[in-house]
Amino acid sequence: QVQLVESGGGLVQAGGSLRLSCAASGRTFSSYAMGWFRQVPGKDREFVATIAGSGGTTYYAASVKGRFTISRDNAKNTVDLQMNSLKPEDTAVYFCAARRRGSIATIQDGYDYWGRGTQVTVSS
């Protein structure tokens, strides 16, 4: 069982930056690919970014590519999402997810464990 706890959400003005962090329990963190998803009320949860267990491969949703960066520290069991040039449409609850395989995935069903989420609000 893997437990995930997100932190770093908050309120920021458009054009600003936030850094989300996800702390994971467990001793085999490097064997898990990790992902970030986001959800707004009334809409489906959508993929944001993913990183392979080794950290060598990343992939981003088109809407955030070039603005967001996913990274991980396998020694600390953490995965971060650096968000720059934020837009009001980035407002959502952001969720961290872990996948019991090292390869990346962009769909919710590809992930086995989820955090409870952290709110990000971008004001215009």
Side-chain angles (χ1 to χ4, degrees), residues 2 20 69 86 92 97 106 109 121 123:
V2 173
L20 305 183
T69 302
L86 283 161
T106 61
D109 288 348
T121 303
S123 63

Side-chain angles (χ1 to χ4, degrees), residues 6-12 16-22 36 51 67-73 76 78-86 94 118-120:
E6 302 96 336
S7 62
L11 173 65
V12 64
S17 298
L18 277 177
R19 188 176 185 90
L20 305 183
S21 187
C22 174
W36 286 95
I51 186 167
R67 300 188 297 122
F68 290 11
T69 302
I70 189 171
S71 61
R72 66 189 296 158
D73 186 334
K76 296 182 179 179
T78 59
V79 59
D80 291 348
L81 185 69
Q82 176 66 42
M83 305 186 295
N84 298 329
S85 302
L86 283 161
Y94 283 70
T118 185
Q119 176 71 46
V120 170

